[in-house]
Amino acid sequence: MNTPLNAQSPQLTLTEQRLLDEFQHGFPLEPRPYARIAQQLGVSETAVLDSLQRLQAAGAVSRVGPVLQPNRIGVSTLAALAVPSDRLDAVATLVSEYPEVNHNYQREHDYNLWFVVTAPNRERLAAVLDDIGRRSGLPVLDLPMLEDYFIDLGFRLQWT
Amino acid sequence: MDMNVTPHPALDDAVNRALLQAVEGGLPLALRPYAVVGEQLGIAENEVIARLYNLQEQGIIKRMGVVVRHRVLGYRANAMVVWDVADAEVAATGCCLGAVPFVTLCYRRPRRLPDWPYNLFTMIHGQDRAQVLARVDHLVNRCDMQDIAHQVLFSPRCFKQRGARYTTLDTRMETSP
């Protein structure tokens, strides 16, 4: 799932901008949540659903739903590898293959591949890290979260 | 926040686990999404709503809403900024950084000496590199971090990004080629 930097942003209507800006948290817990959102935006329920479908198809919305607190239900860690540049693509592919890996990014540093691993328990998490280390032949930097100082209210978008 | 993971009592409940599994990939884009989920699980719509409310109250669900992909929306520059903060200062500094609106994650993580001296991790998105770097300067001033070593790790490429799947993963090792 490569996302090139020159990807075209989908053109957003004002209503869609508000949809993305104002509903990243506090999604209505009532039988017809999209109708409630529609009411607040002054559009129809179908228009909200159509917009979300379009934004999802365009890749701007990954999903509508819960974001889980890390380490409450399973365990997770941030891991990094220092990969020789000629092997980066191959090792990145190897890492992305694991269903336990949900984020995998190249970063500009000697540690140039950074990924998040989540698993139902510590044993499984350790097994995945070991497996990645063994298959890549590279030592894995394992950096589990110790404390969270951030209150997640979603991502503040600024439309320019 | 405690790192020693003991499963939350709410997760002993099989229906809660099945519910999280049903919704962690996203709610259906349907007129009555909770009814659709309830039908899959064999429970009533209002029970789905009540359980999601409780899971949120208990902090298992951090937030519910639209999950956006920054890059596709024009936030093309994203940097992980890592700081080497004295252990005695890290909580205060972390809270200062975590309260700044453009900081999207703020975690303390262990140092791994000698390879890795940084213990505080923040994520900063911006429309371009210049904006991200200006934001880092802003953080340094705002949280009095002039003397704190830090590095800005820009990300030129995203190989994979999706929500965490805690509940759907099989505990067996996947076949490794």
Side-chain angles (χ1 to χ4, degrees):
Chain A
M1 206 196 304
N2 284 317
T3 310
L5 292 179
N6 59 0
Q8 287 298 305
S9 303
Q11 292 302 305
L12 301 176
T13 65
L14 208 61
T15 303
E16 287 171 338
Q17 292 183 9
R18 287 191 57 198
L19 185 58
L20 296 184
D21 227 1
E22 296 170 27
F23 294 95
Q24 293 185 37
H25 60 102
F27 189 79
L29 280 164
E30 55 185 274
R32 293 178 68 174
Y34 303 108
R36 169 72 61 194
I37 291 172
Q39 193 185 27
Q40 289 178 33
L41 295 176
V43 297
S44 72
E45 186 179 20
T46 357
V48 168
L49 284 164
D50 287 349
S51 289
L52 287 171
Q53 244 135 25
R54 190 181 88 84
L55 290 167
Q56 201 165 32
V61 165
S62 118
R63 65 190 187 280
V64 179
V67 173
L68 304 185
Q69 176 72 43
N71 298 311
R72 283 292 160 85
I73 159 163
V75 291
S76 66
T77 196
L78 175 69
L81 294 171
V83 188
S85 57
D86 59 336
R87 290 182 57 208
L88 183 61
D89 281 20
V91 174
T93 305
L94 179 155
V95 168
S96 291
E97 276 169 13
Y98 291 82
E100 289 85 356
V101 170
N102 56 315
H103 286 212
N104 186 19
Y105 286 87
Q106 181 187 348
R107 295 202 177 274
E108 294 168 356
H109 191 271
D110 290 341
Y111 284 102
N112 54 357
L113 192 66
W114 290 78
F115 49 97
V116 176
V117 186
T118 60
N121 53 58
R122 281 178 190 286
E123 293 68 33
R124 175 65 191 158
L125 188 67
V128 170
L129 293 178
D130 284 353
D131 206 49
I132 288 174
R134 185 179 54 74
R135 290 175 63 209
S136 66
L138 299 165
V140 180
L141 194 63
D142 174 15
L143 303 167
M145 181 183 90
L146 300 177
E147 246 175 310
D148 183 358
Y149 303 112
F150 172 65
I151 296 163
D152 189 359
L153 294 176
F155 183 69
R156 180 110 201 102
L157 298 162
Q158 295 164 328
W159 309 102
T160 47
Chain B
M1 222 161 273
D2 191 1
M3 231 333 257
N4 291 316
V5 182
T6 42
H8 194 286
L11 298 168
D12 293 339
D13 183 299
V15 179
N16 278 345
R17 288 200 308 271
L19 175 60
L20 285 172
Q21 184 170 340
V23 298
E24 66 189 344
L27 288 169
L29 294 177
L31 292 177
R32 297 178 66 172
Y34 305 115
V36 175
V37 171
E39 210 163 306
Q40 286 168 23
L41 301 176
I43 58 175
E45 180 184 41
N46 59 8
E47 189 181 341
V48 171
I49 292 172
R51 283 176 180 271
L52 287 173
Y53 177 84
N54 287 331
L55 288 166
Q56 214 164 345
E57 288 289 294
Q58 289 160 333
I60 292 166
I61 292 175
K62 199 170 187 181
R63 68 177 162 100
M64 257 185 64
V66 179
V67 182
V68 302
R69 286 209 179 88
H70 312 110
R71 279 180 200 243
V72 182
L73 289 168
Y75 288 77
R76 303 248 155 74
N78 104 59
M80 184 173 77
V81 187
V82 294
W83 317 80
D84 176 7
V85 185
D87 290 342
E89 308 288 326
V90 69
T93 305
C95 291
C96 180
L97 293 174
V100 177
F102 58 73
V103 172
T104 53
L105 289 175
C106 187
Y107 292 149
R108 183 164 73 87
R109 298 182 184 279
R111 296 186 182 86
R112 300 295 189 201
L113 298 172
D115 301 321
W116 187 259
Y118 303 101
N119 61 338
L120 190 60
F121 290 62
T122 47
M123 197 66 74
I124 297 172
H125 294 265
Q127 277 147 349
D128 52 38
R129 283 177 181 244
Q131 188 184 39
V132 171
L133 291 172
R135 288 177 162 187
V136 174
D137 284 346
H138 176 88
L139 292 180
V140 167
N141 290 321
R142 183 186 167 114
C143 299
D144 263 331
M145 303 178 79
Q146 288 82 357
D147 298 328
I148 291 175
H150 68 273
Q151 288 200 321
V152 182
L153 281 72
F154 278 105
S155 167
R157 242 191 318 176
C158 166
F159 294 106
K160 186 173 185 183
Q161 183 196 0
R162 63 155 170 75
R165 305 280 161 81
Y166 290 99
T167 60
T168 49
L169 297 173
D170 200 293
T171 45
R172 283 174 297 119
M173 181 60 83
E174 298 287 326
T175 19
S176 316

